[in-house]
Amino acid sequence: MIFILVINAGSSSVKFSLFRLPEKERVIQGSIERIGTEAARLSWQSGSALPWSVPCPVAETGEAISRIAALLKDKERGGIGSIEEIKAVGHRVVHGGDEIHGPVRVTDQIKELIRRYSELAPLHNPMNLLGIEACGREFAQAVQTAVFDTAFHATMPEHAFLYGLPWELYQDCGIRKYGFHGTSHCYAARIAARHLGRRPEELRIITCHLGNGSSVTAVEKGLSVDTSMGFTPLEGLIMGTRCGDIDPAVIHYLYSRKGLPMSRIYELLNNEGGLLGLAGIGSSDFRDIEAASLAGNSRAGSALRAFFHRVRKYIGAYSAIMGGLDALVFTGGIGENSSTVREAVCLGFEGGGMADACLPGVSLDLEANRSCSGPCAAVHSPESLYPVLVVPADEEAEIASQVEELLRLRA
Ligand code: AMP
């Protein structure tokens, strides 16, 4: 038997999923959250067994990986017994700049590259690297591989990734759009094409990954040609706590007129903006904002409308640059779970402009939209100009597929 282990080492958590080939069946998945605190816990679920969770006070990423290795070795707790059958570990890495175009084997050069781009992803790349080092020790028999969030967007043309800044800032400092959530957009577009029975090369797809972090991507012939996140994941849509697109002059104003130091402004844009800052109910959770709006909180209503408007604006822009659209796909915690969001984005929303402000040509099957489930659900009606699909995000499955392909692993 052959297994691929997928590891996502974040700033305070390590998530893992183990896949058995050739079916790519997920045999066990889980996480250690709140690493470095007394409250750290290991949670997991294997097969159809009930989820389980135990205290696991680990100090850092390396220790967390050792605990995960011990769990995988423990058959009694849902593990597979021997970890010798794990042939590859696929690591999620956030930033690979414009140098990485697909999945790679981890070499000393790749580690050096991850280190180099830590400057642009200081919360993620160093942790991803710690995960890689620890897995190299714990799963020494396995090939260590990396799948980068930026890789899918490496196909963006220059006219999409350039900012209107002095050329030297791009050339010497690498200041350009990179894009993120690439693995999720790639997966959503691939599953959508498969559902439609078409080759990705024939399609123009817009994928909307709407979650705590949100982004929209234009996928033409299977390749990302533009995406809403930029140099960092701060650009684009209004997110849980991130502001998304703003006039950069706001930063100068806050600095020079309001006397805020740069670090404070950066904190405000990243952690105090978005739905949290607009709604002001002390939560960035979309369900809380929706509930507050329904209960009559007008700021929560304004926050939702600003969120919908921005998503619609990007869909319009990306349809224009691709010269049309063959499928619209929703994914991410909000995109896949909220029928209200899909309705508001596709059909317009109260106070959002013309009474009948549908995206051009789109028509939803309202019942299908409310009850959709499964790995890919169609929620449009027959007269819609193009399909509207809901694909639950599964970055781990996409990483496992890419690693399988890279190493040509066969059971
Ligand atoms: P993610 O970052 O992809 O895990 O998505 C997290 C976001 O999805 C949070 O803001 C949740 O409130 C939101 N979410 C999860 N389930 C629902 C739902 N049923 N309706 C609306 N939003 C949801």
Side-chain angles (χ1 to χ4, degrees), residues 129-349:
L129 202 51
L130 285 176
I132 289 172
E133 300 286 6
C135 285
R137 293 191 297 272
E138 294 292 340
F139 307 98
Q141 80 293 342
V143 184
Q144 305 297 320
T145 64
V147 174
F148 291 74
D149 270 18
T150 46
F152 184 57
H153 302 301
T155 51
M156 262 190 295
E158 187 186 78
H159 54 254
F161 71 62
L162 280 179
Y163 290 127
L165 291 169
W167 186 266
E168 294 70 31
L169 289 178
Y170 159 54
Q171 203 166 34
D172 304 338
C173 311
I175 297 181
R176 50 157 282 181
K177 182 187 276 280
Y178 291 104
F180 298 88
H181 285 151
T183 311
S184 174
H185 288 293
C186 176
Y187 176 78
R190 197 164 54 78
I191 296 295
R194 189 191 295 165
H195 172 90
L196 298 171
R198 310 266 304 271
R199 292 184 310 123
E201 293 76 20
E202 306 168 344
L203 295 169
R204 295 160 300 180
I205 300 178
I206 292 178
T207 48
C208 304
H209 178 109
L210 309 178
N212 276 325
S214 297
S215 61
V216 179
T217 295
V219 184
E220 190 174 341
K221 298 182 179 168
L223 306 175
S224 166
V225 293
D226 204 349
T227 191
S228 59
M229 283 180 168
F231 179 58
T232 74
L234 189 53
E235 188 180 340
L237 301 179
I238 291 175
M239 308 182 214
T241 63
R242 283 171 253 171
C243 61
D245 298 333
I246 57 165
D247 181 342
V250 170
I251 296 167
H252 180 259
Y253 178 83
L254 292 174
Y255 179 74
S256 62
R257 295 293 179 87
K258 295 286 169 193
L260 298 186
M262 269 304 165
S263 55
R264 176 75 196 99
I265 296 173
Y266 193 59
E267 172 76 13
L268 189 145
L269 302 178
N270 267 294
N271 299 325
E272 296 170 28
L275 297 168
L276 176 80
L278 282 172
I281 59 164
S283 169
S284 62
D285 192 293
F286 202 84
R287 287 162 293 197
D288 296 340
I289 316 261
E290 274 187 326
S293 171
L294 277 175
N297 182 315
S298 70
R299 266 178 66 179
S302 299
L304 289 179
R305 287 189 292 276
F307 174 85
F308 300 149
H309 176 78
R310 188 77 59 92
V311 178
R312 285 165 61 83
K313 197 161 87 169
Y314 269 100
I315 293 172
Y318 288 170
S319 312
I321 63 165
M322 292 194 289
L325 191 55
D326 300 307
L328 176 63
V329 184
F330 288 93
T331 188
I334 300 169
E336 64 201 51
N337 289 311
S338 173
S339 57
T340 338
V341 168
R342 296 189 295 266
E343 251 180 65
V345 168
C346 292
L347 307 183
F349 51 93

Side-chain angles (χ1 to χ4, degrees), residues 63-92:
E63 217 181 313
I65 299 276
S66 304
R67 294 298 191 93
I68 290 167
L71 173 68
L72 296 180
K73 282 180 206 162
D74 187 345
K75 252 190 162 151
E76 306 247 300
R77 296 198 296 166
I80 52 170
S82 163
I83 54 171
E84 295 304 308
E85 291 163 320
I86 298 177
K87 297 296 180 215
V89 183
H91 295 270
R92 178 201 176 202

